[in-house]
Amino acid sequence: MRARVLVVVALCATLNGAARGQDAPAVPITPVGQVTLEEVAAAMGANDLRAIRYSGTGFSFAFGQNYSWEEAWPRMRLERYERLVDYDSQSSQEVLVRTQAESPPRGGGNQPLGSVQEQVLGVSGPYAWNQSSTLAALPAEGIRLLPMPAGAPDPTAVPEQAEQRRLLLWLTPQGFVKSALAHHPTLSTNVVRRHRVTTISFELEGGMHVEGTANEQNLVERVVTHVPNPVLGDMLVEFVYANYREFGGIQFPTTILVQQGGFHTLEVSVADAVMNPEDHTVEVPPQARVTDVPPPAISAQPLAEGLWLLSAGSHNSVAVEFRDFAAVIEAPENEERSLAMIAKVKQLMPNKAIRYLINTHHHFDQAGGLRTYAAEGTTILTHVSNHAFYDLMFSSDRTLQPDRLDRSNLAPRVELVGDYYVIRNGSRVLEIHHVEGSMHDAGLLMVYLPRERLLVESHVFTPADTGAAATPNPFALNLYENAMRLNLNVTRIAPIYGRMVPWSELLKAIGKPADDTPADGLLRAVAQL
């Protein structure tokens, strides 16, 4: 136990050090003449600024989708980046035109990107939305905030993200100053490493603390706060602004770095910024005019006796009934979804405790509900490579959004899986296998039920409604290779993301013959019974 505590302390120091950078000066801090917030606002051009549009190129990163928990988030190239912020209406719209940056792909984030992708992330007051489309080629010049190309999918309302997106627009350089002016800030000016630094801090509604620093020219260089996250708890968010230039009467940084959870989520080299552009209204799509976050609705699709595919939104789970207990495969997203899933499992299998939760990998969309199951007394089965990271997750501070595990005072139970783990009870056998060589996640697990000849996999094969791709997805090809290596006689695949499909659909997607299944798999399956 002592060794586990030491690992958590070391990891916390690593993440905090990476995110805070210059928090610990090498020389004493000396007070100097105080700078006023009005002086900072004047230097930044914040007083007359109502809206701003800025654009450039750079990189975006798939938050919470790293190949292993020590690595940076996976990087995508930003061929175009544009953001419009309207401070008066508390609106923002980002447009990101992305292409694949790394080859071969490593980690999640819907890699590999087989084409040019355009994403729109919007917020306006209580409304928030996402929209994405695939482009045949890069736009010849500039990018459009609206509309999306003809035939693009409709925007999707994400009202649960509205509050945090509104917060982030106030962490832009001028937005931070404007917000500070409205929230009775505390200022202190000191000398750090022979340079004058002014620290500005204030509390937002709800008790969220925001702090920033301005340099000798009274230009904001750094803004930090914490936001609640299902995996990391009170997660540090940091904006770093550098290399200011004058753009039409305001000072604006030409380098923007954003970090969340200790790793970069955005790097932008700003080429242009326009103060109070003529058309600065962020139009809210009709589909986005939703403010209520409905409770998760769980549907249960029977797969076999005592076996269900449970769906809620974009992710699935699988419920497995044993003679003496129940097990669930995957706890995606957050506590609300997991509570609804637990209730559904208890409805399907009354009087049977959920003894095991099988976590296929550490990506945040797959691990967001683990603490909820731990609060039920459920044992978490996960790959051994997640050991130190889950120690951090289970011990992180959660003052901004306490959860059931905080209130339960239970010690989480985690059992580590290597290459192979089996659960036998009554007539049911469930195997857990490490997916060797997967570039999606270092600790990726898949689940095989030999009697049902069913394979449960997560995010490496997403069934599509189109034919085989010209280039097989390397993650899906690796899944096939592992099933063949282990002689798994699979006839059906239950994906955590997507619809239930026959094995032949995976074969079609990767260009393999329709009857390509291990010949001795059936004998092996019978021997397990």
Side-chain angles (χ1 to χ4, degrees), residues 320 322 420 422-431 447-452 525 527-529:
V320 185
F322 291 85
Y420 176 71
V422 63
I423 303 173
R424 299 174 186 269
N425 182 257
S427 61
R428 174 142 282 153
V429 178
L430 181 150
E431 300 176 6
V447 176
Y448 179 60
L449 292 107
R451 187 178 69 178
E452 294 80 10
Q528 294 279 1
L529 303 180

Side-chain angles (χ1 to χ4, degrees), residues 23-95:
D23 276 2
V27 296
I29 298 177
T30 305
V32 295
Q34 291 296 308
V35 171
T36 68
L37 187 55
E38 287 72 20
E39 290 174 310
V40 175
M44 297 283 296
N47 292 320
D48 298 323
L49 185 71
R50 302 184 308 278
I52 189 168
R53 176 185 281 119
Y54 56 95
S55 59
T57 58
F59 296 94
S60 66
F61 300 77
F63 172 73
Q65 299 289 312
N66 41 3
Y67 174 69
S68 66
W69 61 266
E70 308 101 321
E71 293 189 9
W73 312 133
R75 185 175 69 159
M76 316 293 171
R77 189 178 307 280
L78 284 179
E79 306 289 351
R80 306 277 195 276
Y81 175 86
E82 184 167 328
R83 187 177 189 187
L84 171 64
V85 180
D86 183 345
Y87 296 109
D88 290 343
S89 64
Q90 297 189 52
S91 301
S92 169
Q93 187 160 276
E94 288 181 279
V95 179

Side-chain angles (χ1 to χ4, degrees), residues 45-218:
N47 292 320
D48 298 323
L49 185 71
R50 302 184 308 278
I52 189 168
R53 176 185 281 119
Y54 56 95
S55 59
T57 58
F59 296 94
S60 66
F61 300 77
F63 172 73
Q65 299 289 312
N66 41 3
Y67 174 69
S68 66
W69 61 266
E70 308 101 321
E71 293 189 9
W73 312 133
R75 185 175 69 159
M76 316 293 171
R77 189 178 307 280
L78 284 179
E79 306 289 351
R80 306 277 195 276
Y81 175 86
E82 184 167 328
R83 187 177 189 187
L84 171 64
V85 180
D86 183 345
Y87 296 109
D88 290 343
S89 64
Q90 297 189 52
S91 301
S92 169
Q93 187 160 276
E94 288 181 279
V95 179
L96 303 90
V97 178
R98 309 186 310 154
T99 57
Q100 183 72 35
E102 310 295 348
S103 183
R106 186 179 177 90
N110 296 318
Q111 294 189 86
L113 303 183
S115 57
V116 180
Q117 292 189 351
E118 182 176 14
Q119 291 183 320
V120 175
L121 309 176
V123 65
S124 182
Y127 307 117
W129 63 94
N130 296 337
Q131 191 175 17
S132 62
S133 69
T134 299
L135 305 180
L138 287 173
E141 56 180 300
I143 36 182
R144 59 207 170 275
L145 285 171
L146 283 175
M148 293 285 278
D154 288 337
T156 301
V158 286
E160 67 278 4
Q161 296 186 27
E163 182 178 3
Q164 192 167 115
R165 289 187 184 179
R166 286 198 307 274
L167 165 68
L168 295 181
L169 75 87
W170 293 113
L171 303 187
T172 56
Q174 281 79 9
F176 169 75
V177 177
K178 295 170 80 68
S179 186
L181 286 166
H183 287 93
H184 309 290
T186 299
L187 276 73
S188 63
T189 303
N190 302 281
V191 173
V192 180
R193 295 189 181 93
R194 300 183 181 181
H195 293 281
R196 191 186 73 194
V197 175
T198 300
T199 301
I200 306 163
S201 60
F202 55 92
E203 301 288 326
L204 289 173
E205 293 78 4
M208 187 170 291
H209 182 77
V210 181
E211 184 172 296
T213 57
N215 61 20
E216 292 173 303
Q217 290 76 42
N218 293 333

Side-chain angles (χ1 to χ4, degrees), residues 240-244 252-257 268-270:
V240 177
Y241 302 115
N243 303 318
Y244 274 80
F252 199 78
T254 59
T255 301
I256 298 176
L257 302 176
V268 177
S269 295
V270 176

